[in-house]
C-alpha cells in the first residue's frame, strides 16, 4: 500500500541530496513536505511563501530571497501546481526544472490536478479511496447527543504521534469513531498487525469497508454499532485510539468498558487520545495513568497517552 509512496519520498530526498532545501509554498502541501523532511531528520533551510502571513516559530521568506541564493547549491521544492510567476522568477535566475527545482506534486501525482500533498491524498489518488471529504452534521447519524461531528484530522500529525511508539506485528489497535478508516491505514503503515474500529454512522461505515477493500487491508474488523455497547469485543486489543469522537456519558461508558476489558484480560493497555477534553474522565477511577503529552499540528494540538500496566 505504501511502497510506491516511499519510493517517491526517496526520489525527493535524492533530488535534494547535499543541497540547501528550499520549500516554496507554505500551506497544507508545504506543511506536509516539511513533515517528510523533519521525519527523516533532514534540514530545511528556507521556506518561501509570498502570501502567508508571518507565523510564530516559522521563519517564512519571500521569493525575493532567491536572488541572493546560489542556485548551484539549492534544491527548490514547489508545493503548488504550475505558476507562471514562479517559473518566470526561477528561470530568470537560471534555475532549470529537474536540475535545481521541481514541482513536488508532479513527482507524486504526475499530471493529475487538484491534489494536496498528504498521506490521505496519496491513498485517494492511487487507490481511489474516499477519506478526506467531510460529512456535515445534519447528515451524520449519531448514537447519542454527546457524539461529535466526523473529522478526518491532519494525517501527518497522527504519523508524528505514532513515531513515538515501537509497534509490533502482534499489537492490536482499536479506533473509536473510525469513520472512513483513514487513521487505521496510518496505523497499518506504522506496523500494527491487527486493527479494529467502531463507527455508528452507517454511511461512514460502508465507506470505511469499501476503503479497506480498495487498500487491500487484511486483518481488520469494523463494527457498525453504538460504541458504548462494546464489551468483550475489546479484549483482543492492547491499543485504543480516539480522535475526539464523543464527550460526556458516552465517553465515560467507553472508558469503563476498556477498564472492564483489562480486568477480564490483564495486559498493558495504551490509550492514544487526540483532543483530550475528557481527561478527568480517563483518570477518575485511578486505572489509567497519563504517561505522555505530545504537542502536534492537530487543531486541538495535544495528544495524551495513557497507560494501564499489568
Amino acid at each position: 500500500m505504501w511502497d510506491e509512496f516511499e519510493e517517491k519520498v526517496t526520489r525527493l530526498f535524492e533530488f535534494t541530496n547535499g543541497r540547501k532545501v528550499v520549500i516554496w509554498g507554505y500551506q497544507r502541501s508545504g506543511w506536509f513536505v516539511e513533515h517528510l523532511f523533519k521525519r527523516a531528520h533532514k534540514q530545511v533551510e528556507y521556506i518561501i511563501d509570498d502570501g502567508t502571513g508571518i507565523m510564530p516559530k516559522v521563519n517564512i521568506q519571500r521569493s525575493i530571497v532567491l536572488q541572493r541564493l546560489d542556485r548551484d547549491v539549492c534544491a527548490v521544492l514547489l508545493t503548488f501546481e504550475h505558476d507562471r510567476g514562479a517559473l518566470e522568477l526561477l528561470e530568470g535566475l537560471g534555475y532549470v526544472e529537474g536540475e535545481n527545482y521541481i514541482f513536488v506534486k508532479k513527482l507524486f501525482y504526475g499530471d493529475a490536478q487538484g491534489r494536496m500533498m498528504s498521506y490521505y491524498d496519496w491513498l485517494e489518488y492511487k487507490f481511489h479511496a474516499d477519506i478526506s471529504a467531510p460529512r456535515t452534521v445534519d447528515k451524520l447519524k449519531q448514537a447519542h447527543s454527546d457524539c461529535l461531528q466526523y473529522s478526518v484530522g491532519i494525517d501527518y500529525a497522527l504519523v508524528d504521534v505514532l513515531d513515538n511508539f515501537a509497534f509490533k506485528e502482534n499489537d492490536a489497535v482499536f479506533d473509536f469513531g473510525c469513520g472512513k478508516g483513514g487513521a487505521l491505514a496510518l496505523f497499518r503503515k506504522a506496523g500494527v498487525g491487527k486493527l479494529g474500529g467502531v463507527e455508528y454512522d452507517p454511511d461512514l461505515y460502508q465507506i470505511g469497508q469499501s476503503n479497506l477493500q480498495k487498500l487491500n487491508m487484511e486483518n481488520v474488523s469494523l463494527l457498525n454499532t453504538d460504541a458504548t455497547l462494546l464489551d468483550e469485543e475489546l479484549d483482543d486489543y492492547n491499543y485504543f485510539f480516539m480522535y475526539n469522537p464523543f464527550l460526556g456519558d458516552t465517553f465515560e461508558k467507553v472508558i469503563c468498558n476498556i477498564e472492564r476489558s483489562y480486568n477480564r484480560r490483564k495486559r498493558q493497555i495504551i490509550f492514544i487520545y487526540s483532543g483530550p477534553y475528557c481527561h478527568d474522565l480517563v483518570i477518575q477511577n485511578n486505572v489509567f495513568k497519563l504517561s505522555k503529552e505530545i504537542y502536534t499540528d492537530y487543531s486541538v494540538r495535544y495528544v495524551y497517552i495513557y497507560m494501564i500496566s499489568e
Side-chain angles (χ1 to χ4, degrees), residues 248-264:
D249 291 341
T250 299
F251 185 93
E252 185 173 12
K253 290 176 182 177
V254 167
I255 291 297
C256 289
N257 288 344
I258 297 174
E259 292 173 351
R260 281 197 294 270
S261 174
Y262 169 76
N263 289 329
R264 283 192 301 270

Side-chain angles (χ1 to χ4, degrees), residues 7-19 42:
E7 289 173 4
K8 292 182 181 295
V9 172
T10 298
R11 288 174 57 189
L12 180 66
F13 292 158
E14 289 173 348
F15 176 75
T16 63
N17 189 40
R19 295 190 282 179
K42 297 180 182 295

Side-chain angles (χ1 to χ4, degrees), residues 15 35-36 52 55 58 155 172-173 183 190 206 208 234 238 263 304:
F15 176 75
H35 152 81
L36 293 177
T52 302
M55 301 175 66
V58 178
D155 52 5
V173 172
Q206 290 297 334
L234 306 179
N238 60 324
N263 289 329
Y304 282 7

Side-chain angles (χ1 to χ4, degrees), residues 39-308:
R39 188 167 185 246
H41 307 290
K42 297 180 182 295
Q43 184 173 344
V44 174
E45 278 80 6
Y46 294 93
I47 295 173
I48 294 175
D49 198 299
D50 290 326
T52 302
I54 302 301
M55 301 175 66
K57 299 183 180 180
V58 178
N59 183 17
I60 297 179
Q61 305 283 340
R62 301 310 184 194
S63 57
I64 194 173
V65 73
L66 291 168
Q67 295 181 6
R68 64 177 178 83
L69 298 180
D70 183 349
R71 66 176 182 271
D72 293 330
V73 297
C74 287
V76 180
L77 310 178
L78 289 85
T79 66
F80 41 81
E81 291 168 357
H82 287 266
D83 179 277
R84 180 178 297 178
L87 289 178
E88 289 178 352
L89 175 59
L90 286 169
E91 293 173 359
L93 294 172
Y95 285 81
V96 177
E97 184 175 3
E99 293 185 11
N100 39 32
Y101 82 86
I102 60 170
F103 287 91
V104 180
K105 292 182 182 180
K106 185 176 180 180
L107 170 63
F108 280 79
Y109 302 128
D111 294 329
Q113 300 291 307
R115 288 289 176 193
M116 294 293 178
M117 288 300 302
S118 77
Y119 294 107
Y120 292 155
D121 274 86
W122 170 258
L123 295 180
E124 291 177 341
Y125 163 75
K126 186 65 181 178
F127 301 98
H128 306 290
D130 173 7
I131 299 174
S132 300
R135 185 166 174 79
T136 57
V137 174
D138 62 326
K139 293 183 178 180
L140 188 65
K141 298 176 178 64
Q142 298 175 321
H144 304 281
S145 61
D146 50 12
C147 295
L148 302 179
Q149 180 179 1
Y150 167 74
S151 174
V152 70
I154 300 176
D155 52 5
Y156 73 82
L158 178 55
V159 170
D160 286 340
V161 171
L162 300 187
D163 281 342
N164 288 271
F165 299 91
F167 293 110
K168 301 184 292 293
E169 182 66 23
N170 61 349
D171 282 327
V173 172
F174 191 89
D175 181 1
F176 286 96
C178 62
K180 300 179 181 181
L184 293 175
L186 298 182
F187 274 102
R188 177 56 51 82
K189 184 179 189 300
V192 179
K194 177 180 174 63
L195 299 167
V198 60
E199 176 54 55
Y200 183 80
D201 182 271
D203 295 331
L204 286 176
Y205 168 78
Q206 290 297 334
I207 294 172
Q209 290 283 29
S210 175
N211 284 336
L212 295 181
Q213 294 177 3
K214 292 175 180 178
L215 300 177
N216 195 28
M217 288 177 59
E218 299 179 346
N219 201 18
V220 185
S221 175
L222 298 189
L223 302 173
N224 181 207
T225 188
D226 180 346
T228 65
L229 302 179
L230 299 181
D231 192 32
E232 293 182 359
E233 297 92 339
L234 306 179
D235 294 355
D236 292 333
Y237 299 89
N238 60 324
Y239 282 85
F240 296 94
F241 173 70
M242 291 187 195
Y243 180 57
N244 197 30
F246 34 66
L247 305 170
D249 291 341
T250 299
F251 185 93
E252 185 173 12
K253 290 176 182 177
V254 167
I255 291 297
C256 289
N257 288 344
I258 297 174
E259 292 173 351
R260 281 197 294 270
S261 174
Y262 169 76
N263 289 329
R264 283 192 301 270
R265 177 176 169 251
K266 295 293 194 293
R267 76 268 192 202
Q268 183 185 72
I269 288 179
I270 294 178
F271 174 33
I272 304 170
Y273 183 22
S274 175
Y277 296 110
C278 297
H279 165 74
D280 290 344
L281 294 178
V282 180
I283 63 172
Q284 69 176 352
N285 295 328
N286 296 315
V287 178
F288 277 104
K289 292 184 178 180
L290 178 63
S291 61
K292 193 177 185 70
E293 302 173 28
I294 304 174
Y295 186 78
T296 75
D297 279 352
Y298 276 130
S299 59
V300 291
R301 293 304 181 190
Y302 276 99
V303 174
Y304 282 7
I305 311 300
Y306 303 86
M307 295 181 64
I308 306 177

